[in-house]
Amino acid sequence: MTISQPDAGGHFGPYGGRYVPEVLMSPIEELEQAYQQAAQDAQFQTELDALLASYAGRPTPLYYCRRLSEQIGGAQIYLKREDLLHTGAHKINNCLGQALLARRMGKKRIVAETGAGQHGVATATVCALFGIECVVYMGEEDMRRQRLNVFRMRLLGATVVPVTSGSRTLKDAISEAMRDWVTNVAGTYYLLGSALGAHPYPLMVRQFQRVIGREARQQVREQAGRLPDTAFACVGGGSNAIGLFYDFLGDEAVKLVGIEAGGRSLEPGQHAARFAGGLPGVLQGALSYVLQNGDGQISLTHSVSAGLDYAMIGPEHAWLHDGGRAEYVSISDSEALQAARLLSRVEGIIPALESAHAVAEAIRRAPAATGQIFLVNLSGRGDKDIDIYRENLKDLDDPDTNQPAL
Amino acid sequence: MTPTRISRLFEDCRRQRRGALIAYITAGDPAPARTPELVKALVRGGADLIELGVPFSDPVADGPVIQRATARALAAGASLRGVLEMARQIRQASPVPMVLFSYLNPVLRYGLEALARDARESGIDGCLLTDLSVEEADPYVGALHGHGLDSIFLAAPTSSERRRKLVAKYSTGFVYLVSRTGVTGERDSLSDSVAPLIESMRAVTPLPLAVGFGISRPEHLAALRGIADGVVVGSAFVRLIENNTDDPRLAEKLEALARELKAGLEAPGA
């Protein structure tokens, strides 16, 4: 499939490329070479497939939300259940692939960044599995928001390093992981968790995540008898979205919708919707849409969901956006919270806050889409977000009201 | 290209058989109004070339000292436009060669062509863009050279021979050799990778070679005397500024540190 391929320099149209200090250029060239060799190696793919099946739990089910669809009326909503994977999110797909690659390259130490903690947990998990030292950088603010995941990483043997610079969130964690990599470049592998950064990361991460769309495409044809009308996925950096979208790119009738974090409002600093105010720019290795001020300083962002709280979107999404192949919209904090609540109540599925953004957009469009099939990537489960749900859904947390009947 | 202030400086240094002291400071730290005065102090102390660091919100290549300076400068309202204004003021008072040292994004937002034109008008002599790889550099180098500015690129101990040749091809004025892997910041000792890096770079370019990253003490400079054409000191100056922000004698102290470091370059070789 050559529908959306980067050129030799990793460019998707004008986006992507390689914008890193010279110290990292030769190591990135080595990484690209090792990745290209691994991608051609049937044994590598066989080993990865075996781990995805026996360790991560693939294939994940496609689930038809009968009660949710009936309650809203309109489209039939299907969920791709990445939340059922080991470690609770799609992140493990990429981590298994890259950890196999790191081992193949002889690296003894892996560094990673994490926002919500899902990628950090998945990285700590694969490092435990392969016996590789693991250091995870995490913004102090995110450590506060995601305490449970911090503990999980430590339980898995990883060192979690708090990042106190900047906004103390994902962006700053990536900078700190890059600083570690640039310092310890000889023996260290940087396991980037999203479809971001310098080439070959956006390509490599997409290739490790496209299993989501490949499975879902086949499953929806088997269960619904045809392709979906619209596929939905939330977009932070954009790895679960590109993983879902990629195998549908050639199906022109399938609409692809990426959902960004609308935060509190679309005022600057209150959201992380890069296509609502962002401009092309260079951050952390790639050229893509980034939220920034008129002087080219990167803006602070906000989302109730740590995994979407990032100023830049992956370069392939910028390309799909400009070409019109995918559409990008935003969902606010409160819409995401309400969608999570509804999905929990009528289907018994508590989604990750990130994924709740995708569910919310499907719910919003469903009433006007009778007879249509909606495919939503439920990229992660909500266990990690219980504290945030408690803070924001206070009526459920009041001892005097809403007591379950005994 | 006609000789620039930078190429003339290195020719002078070569004739005088001495190395150039290159001083980096984060422009706008602690406040934009103070940068011209601090640069003049560095020049009085013997700095031969000034690198004006353009503050950027996400300085991935910098260690804690310059990260904090960047945060102070941004909090004080510094911007690329403001840095050019500082350069203009410095240029009115001094012929010292000046290089803009910036991450790419502020330059992209300013506009490449506009920046090259305005930088030249402000008295800037060259640009080094930290996160611009030579692979992406064609339009930038074209714009800089079109306005008579030097394009300076980094070479690192990790750079392959193919990459060193590319860096040499795209660089004018001088090549900036990163002495070690890692971020900016003072270190106790000079990296062992410096001498081999200088040697391997000499093999592919006649351009002057300046060494930076981790260099902060007179003995580091003395060790590079006769080997490198220039030595860059950054974090040591920036830290002095940080520790003496409110001291009325800050400029004097900066001048004294520059003089002390310069003495390392001028001391008889060991």
Side-chain angles (χ1 to χ4, degrees), chain B residues 61-270:
Chain B
D62 285 301
V65 172
I66 292 176
Q67 287 177 45
R68 291 196 298 268
T70 292
R72 286 192 299 272
L74 290 174
S79 64
L80 177 51
R81 196 170 299 279
V83 175
L84 295 179
E85 184 48 41
M86 297 170 212
R88 194 187 310 276
Q89 289 178 34
I90 296 162
R91 182 54 74 228
Q92 282 166 5
S94 168
V96 68
M98 285 188 287
V99 169
L100 269 186
F101 200 102
S102 183
Y103 289 87
L104 188 52
N105 202 55
V107 171
L108 275 176
R109 190 75 352 254
Y110 194 98
L112 181 54
E113 194 58 35
L115 174 77
R117 182 195 63 218
D118 294 354
R120 175 69 180 191
E121 278 175 19
S122 307
I124 293 289
D125 302 294
C127 287
L128 192 161
L129 299 168
T130 317
D131 51 352
L132 177 65
S133 60
V134 286
E135 279 78 357
E136 308 286 352
D138 277 321
Y140 299 87
V141 167
L144 295 176
H145 293 183
H147 290 273
L149 295 169
D150 279 317
S151 57
I152 297 129
F153 285 86
L154 302 167
T158 50
S159 303
S160 59
E161 188 184 358
R162 186 184 67 81
R163 298 203 59 81
R164 289 196 301 271
K165 285 180 176 164
L166 278 171
V167 167
K169 181 181 145 196
Y170 280 92
S171 298
T172 62
F174 66 98
V175 178
Y176 187 133
L177 306 185
V178 176
S179 74
R180 61 177 74 231
T181 61
V183 294
T184 58
E186 305 116 296
R187 301 291 199 290
D188 288 339
S189 61
L190 204 58
S191 163
D192 293 337
S193 54
V194 173
L197 177 60
I198 293 174
E199 202 176 319
S200 64
M201 210 60 213
R202 292 271 186 231
V204 297
T205 182
L207 283 171
L209 305 179
V211 178
F213 276 48
I215 296 168
S216 57
R217 298 179 183 177
E219 61 264 31
H220 300 161
L221 284 91
L224 289 166
R225 185 178 173 270
I227 306 175
D229 303 296
V231 180
V232 188
V233 177
S235 295
F237 290 127
V238 174
R239 186 188 291 279
L240 185 101
I241 294 171
E242 176 172 57
N243 290 341
N244 296 276
T245 300
D246 299 319
D247 187 334
R249 296 176 59 234
L250 168 59
E252 224 172 291
K253 288 182 174 177
L254 208 53
E255 179 181 341
L257 178 59
R259 186 163 289 123
E260 187 191 346
L261 291 166
K262 181 78 174 240
L265 272 182
E266 289 173 344

Side-chain angles (χ1 to χ4, degrees), chain A residues 183-368:
Chain A
T183 306
N184 303 297
V185 66
T188 295
Y189 183 95
Y190 178 27
L191 207 166
L192 182 56
S194 196
L196 294 165
H199 178 63
Y201 283 104
L203 168 68
M204 185 163 71
V205 174
R206 179 249 275 169
Q207 291 299 92
F208 288 138
Q209 292 293 1
R210 63 181 281 206
V211 62
I212 302 170
R214 191 188 300 136
E215 284 177 7
R217 190 170 182 278
Q218 191 184 337
Q219 289 167 324
V220 74
R221 288 170 85 165
E222 285 166 8
Q223 290 184 33
R226 63 180 179 91
L227 290 175
D229 294 282
T230 310
F232 299 87
C234 64
V235 190
S239 69
N240 92 79
I242 203 68
L244 179 70
F245 291 172
Y246 192 71
D247 275 45
F248 289 103
L249 287 178
D251 302 318
E252 282 174 22
V254 180
K255 277 190 221 157
L256 305 173
V257 180
I259 295 92
E260 301 187 278
R264 298 186 192 100
S265 77
L266 291 181
E267 292 296 308
Q270 299 299 312
H271 66 93
R274 286 64 48 100
F275 293 124
L279 289 166
V282 166
L283 178 66
Q284 295 171 335
L287 193 153
S288 185
Y289 282 77
V290 58
L291 291 163
Q292 54 183 306
N293 72 13
D295 291 328
Q297 307 296 340
I298 308 306
S299 303
L300 295 184
T301 51
H302 163 80
S303 170
V304 68
S305 137
L308 303 184
D309 195 355
Y310 182 63
M312 181 177 257
I313 194 164
E316 192 166 3
H317 288 291
W319 178 233
L320 295 175
H321 168 269
D322 284 11
R325 180 61 191 92
E327 177 192 355
Y328 295 84
V329 298
S330 64
I331 281 289
S332 71
D333 286 353
S334 60
E335 289 169 317
L337 288 161
Q338 289 315 314
R341 185 173 186 163
L342 183 61
L343 188 69
S344 302
R345 221 171 246 207
V346 303
E347 295 290 353
I349 298 171
I350 302 174
L353 269 164
E354 291 78 11
S355 321
H357 285 70
V359 174
E361 181 63 14
I363 290 172
R364 203 177 64 74
R365 294 187 185 208

